Amino acid sequence: MPEHVLITGGAGFIGSSLARRLVDAGHRVTVLDSLVAQVHGEEPATTSPLLRSLDGVATVRVGSVTSVDDLRAALEGATVVVHLAAETGTGQSMYEIDRYVDTNVGGTAKLLNLLTNEPHTVGRVVIASSRSIYGEGAYRTDEDEIVFPAHRSADDMAAGDFDVHVPGTGPLTLIPTPETALLHPSSVYGITKQSQEALIMTAAPAIGVEAVSLRYQNVYGPGQSLKNPYTGILSIFSTLIRRGKEINIFEDGKESRDFVYIDDVVEATYLACVTPGVSGSVMNVGSGVATTVTDVVDALFRAFGTTVPVTISGNFRVGDIRHNIADTTRSRELLGFEARVPFDRGIEQFVGWVQSEPLEEDGYERSLSEMAVRNLLK
């Protein structure tokens, strides 16, 4: 049966694409979004292509998940909620703590409070969780023991030792992180995402609402914000390349992430909305492939057909992790989901889109200065 899906944060990168996927499949979509300037520009009606892409697709309500009245109005008639609304950015979260907690945790609490205490038609909530809740991912020791290393020390990193360590063990081998891994986020953003997931997965079932959590890895692709200097190295590096400016690679460039293409993420989220029998499930959404930062830069150079100077500086941000790649077994078994777009092809499509977009104001240096003055960038 057709669903009426409310997507909070639905005018963003993932939400706008998901809205089109749902409507193409015959579902109805309402979007609730606060249209923050950091993502959408000062005049979203003219500066946000993501917002314009929803014309004729979804009912768009401008409002915030921190407002009970906005949430109540947006929930009218909804049968499924995809809760994407969140402040994003690991680094920025470490000094705009109140804003991140208020939106990410407080907004989720308000959503659940309405579902608990007022009449509604919602049967399922899908929460967009994050790989950031793991902190450092899973590793195997030489003795074949699975370990989850603690956060790296600033003293070690300042001395040029960026690897993770577990006392009493030798070198560690990175392995895919399963959903059963230790949760020990290393940033305020990660803590808020863990809280969002825990709130949804605990409170929703208690009131008879199905709950599904998707732990997104590093999502990228056409449509991601080129305005926001606080998140997304692909956007940041692309802007630097277009401006012919030097790229500063933090740490030693060997830190890695699991990059997953937007179309794959949208498909996984769509499946989480409509697949029966997955209530209570927590699933990673990723490619299962580790890509280092130096690999990212090389791929961007190939796709742009040009290079800029690169410095591997040894700088590091407090709250960053070394590695994390997803074990995707569970999403494959429960949703039939498997990422289909390899990184090289995804980068080509991303860069092709970037080159068609206006060259945005470069706020990257400002974002670094904001961290450095607070002793969060070394």
Side-chain angles (χ1 to χ4, degrees):
M1 291 181 60
E3 303 285 358
H4 178 181
V5 183
L6 167 63
I7 309 176
T8 68
F13 173 37
I14 298 172
S16 56
S17 290
L18 175 62
R20 293 191 295 274
R21 174 69 177 91
L22 285 161
V23 169
D24 286 346
H27 304 287
R28 177 183 170 193
V29 174
T30 295
V31 160
L32 175 67
D33 203 295
S34 59
L35 302 179
V36 295
Q38 186 166 297
V39 175
H40 295 278
E42 296 295 338
E43 299 290 339
T46 57
T47 59
S48 177
L50 294 176
L51 177 61
R52 292 198 301 272
S53 74
L54 293 172
D55 289 348
V57 174
T59 299
V60 177
R61 292 182 175 271
V62 180
S64 173
V65 292
T66 62
S67 164
V68 173
D69 289 340
D70 291 346
L71 275 170
R72 181 184 291 115
L75 281 166
E76 186 175 351
T79 58
V80 175
V81 176
V82 180
H83 189 36
L84 295 173
E87 300 291 350
T88 60
T90 298
Q92 189 182 44
S93 77
M94 300 296 285
Y95 58 91
E96 295 203 14
I97 298 168
D98 182 62
R99 181 164 71 94
Y100 273 70
V101 173
D102 184 45
T103 301
N104 299 4
V105 181
T108 304
K110 286 180 172 61
L111 170 64
L112 287 166
N113 204 63
L114 280 172
L115 295 180
T116 300
N117 294 297
E118 297 188 9
H120 64 83
T121 52
V122 175
R124 177 176 292 189
V125 177
V126 178
I127 174 63
S129 187
S130 167
R131 59 92 185 156
S132 65
I133 72 175
Y134 293 119
E136 293 293 346
Y139 292 77
R140 179 178 286 112
T141 69
D142 287 344
E143 291 76 31
D144 210 32
E145 178 186 3
I146 306 302
V147 294
F148 305 98
H151 312 320
R152 298 174 293 169
S153 80
D155 289 342
D156 284 348
M157 291 193 285
D161 179 4
F162 302 110
D163 287 327
V164 294
H165 301 285
V166 172
T169 69
L172 303 173
T173 300
L174 178 68
I175 62 172
T177 301
E179 293 85 354
T180 53
L182 176 69
L183 304 183
H184 57 156
S186 59
S187 67
V188 171
Y189 172 70
I191 292 168
T192 66
K193 297 305 289 185
Q194 181 182 3
S195 297
Q196 279 189 316
E197 180 183 293
L199 284 166
I200 295 290
M201 300 306 291
T202 300
I207 58 172
V209 174
E210 295 183 349
V212 180
S213 177
L214 301 178
R215 294 175 179 171
Y216 296 149
Q217 304 299 302
N218 288 64
V219 188
Y220 76 100
Q224 70 183 84
S225 177
L226 300 175
K227 298 180 176 70
N228 188 349
Y230 301 96
T231 180
I233 64 169
L234 289 172
S235 292
I236 292 167
F237 288 172
S238 292
T239 299
L240 293 173
I241 291 169
R242 294 178 79 189
R243 291 188 178 277
K245 298 175 70 172
E246 180 180 54
I247 292 175
N248 175 6
I249 295 180
F250 290 175
E251 301 187 18
D252 57 3
K254 297 177 182 177
E255 61 273 27
S256 68
R257 298 292 185 270
D258 182 334
F259 290 94
V260 57
Y261 193 67
I262 178 63
D263 293 356
D264 288 327
V265 171
V266 165
E267 189 61 21
T269 310
Y270 170 78
L271 291 170
C273 291
V274 302
T275 302
V278 295
S279 180
S281 300
V282 176
M283 292 169 277
N284 289 328
V285 176
S287 68
V289 177
T291 303
T292 69
V293 175
T294 52
D295 288 340
V296 167
V297 172
D298 289 343
L300 286 171
F301 285 168
R302 288 193 300 272
F304 275 106
T306 190
T307 64
V308 297
V310 175
T311 297
I312 300 178
S313 64
N315 293 139
F316 62 91
R317 298 189 310 178
V318 175
D320 274 355
I321 64 167
R322 181 63 167 169
H323 302 295
N324 192 286
I325 56 173
D327 182 331
T328 58
T329 303
R330 189 178 288 180
S331 57
R332 185 169 58 251
E333 291 178 346
L334 295 180
L335 297 178
F337 166 76
E338 192 162 3
R340 298 186 181 278
V341 181
F343 186 67
D344 284 348
R345 178 152 57 91
I347 284 291
E348 289 178 358
Q349 295 176 5
F350 168 71
V351 168
W353 168 77
V354 168
Q355 291 176 314
S356 70
E357 292 294 301
L359 187 55
E360 297 291 347
E361 178 185 355
D362 184 1
Y364 182 50
E365 292 300 326
R366 182 186 73 248
S367 71
L368 296 182
S369 297
E370 290 173 359
M371 295 195 68
V373 74
R374 295 167 174 84
N375 207 32
L376 296 168
L377 174 67
K378 310 287 188 179

